[in-house]
Structures are given as structure tokens and as C-alpha cells.
Amino acid sequence: MSTVKQTKPTESELEILGILWDKGASTVREVHEILEKTKDAGYTTTLKLMQIMHEKNLLKRDTSSKTHIYEAAISQESTQQQLLNKMIDTVFNGSASQLVLQALGNHHSSKEELEKIKQYLNEIENQQKK
């Protein structure tokens, strides 16, 4: 991963990245078949979008065979972090705690999720004591 600032993916690009993060390297046809289940998009639209994503360095493309294989060129974790940081800055005035409080207040969390959150908060607290 380079230190060059990542391009912020659009909503449609994030859908394609999500498929590639889950499935791994895939053809346009394979990505399109998954997209078709949730939205009405033509094959050529999917192809063009993936070509644009390749030009934007969001995807890598293997052209060694007749059927091109695409894979995500950016990691899911760094993309999530970039989008989350942007949301915290713009929507929550830079306050991560406001984001967490909003999320927990408006979403029913399972007992397991709450235990994981407590464990994570304890780990952060212990690290800050060091």
C-alpha cells in the first residue's frame, strides 16, 4: 500500500469492492452476477465501472488470459478507516465518542457485541495506563 492518498470510492465502487473483498479475484461476469441479485445494472455498466476503478487504482487487473481477472487494489481495513475518519470529522465534529454513542443508542446490540465492546474498551484503557 503506497503512501499516496487513496481515492474515495463511490457507493457503486464500494459495492464492487465489497464483492471482491469477500470473494477474492473475480471476472466482471462473476461480479456482475452478484450485483444483479440486489440491483438492476447491465453487464456493460459493471464492466465500464470496473475499468474506471482500475484507472483510479482501486482495482488490479490480470490480463494474462482472455478473460480479465480483477481484484481489489486497496484493503478493506484502510478503506473503512478512511471513510470512518471522514464521517467522524464531518458528521460528528471530530468526536469519535459521539459516533459510538450515536451508534449504540440507535442500534440494538447483542449481549456478545456488548461484551466485545467492553473488552475492547478495557484493552484501550490498559494501553493508556502504560
Side-chain angles (χ1 to χ4, degrees), residues 1-128:
M1 174 81 32
S2 67
T3 57
V4 176
K5 188 177 180 228
Q6 275 188 8
T7 303
K8 181 182 168 223
T10 66
E11 191 173 324
S12 294
E13 290 170 343
L14 280 170
E15 287 179 290
I16 290 172
L17 283 167
I19 291 167
L20 293 172
W21 288 327
D22 286 345
K23 190 174 179 348
S26 305
T27 65
V28 174
R29 173 79 47 211
E30 292 168 329
V31 171
H32 178 69
E33 286 173 358
I34 295 170
L35 277 178
E36 253 184 339
K37 294 175 184 174
T38 58
K39 68 190 299 180
D40 187 26
Y43 175 83
T44 55
T45 302
T46 304
L47 171 63
K48 185 64 178 169
L49 187 53
M50 290 177 73
Q51 289 170 336
I52 291 168
M53 291 173 71
H54 177 257
E55 291 169 13
K56 292 167 70 174
N57 294 320
L58 296 173
L59 299 182
K60 296 176 192 172
R61 179 172 60 199
D62 178 358
T63 59
S64 61
S65 65
K66 182 181 175 197
T67 305
H68 295 178
I69 306 291
Y70 288 84
E71 65 181 302
I74 58 176
S75 76
Q76 184 173 13
E77 294 77 18
S78 67
T79 303
Q80 288 173 338
Q81 188 63 56
Q82 177 190 18
L83 294 172
L84 185 60
N85 288 342
K86 179 76 172 160
M87 183 191 320
I88 290 170
D89 290 343
T90 58
V91 178
F92 295 97
N93 259 356
S95 173
S97 63
Q98 286 300 313
L99 168 80
V100 171
L101 292 172
Q102 184 73 22
L104 290 175
N106 292 322
H107 175 75
H108 177 73
S109 299
S110 68
K111 187 174 181 175
E112 293 79 20
E113 287 175 316
L114 290 174
E115 284 302 318
K116 282 177 92 172
I117 291 167
K118 287 176 189 175
Q119 181 181 0
Y120 185 65
L121 290 173
N122 287 335
E123 288 172 13
I124 291 172
E125 195 173 283
N126 289 336
Q127 287 175 353
Q128 290 178 350

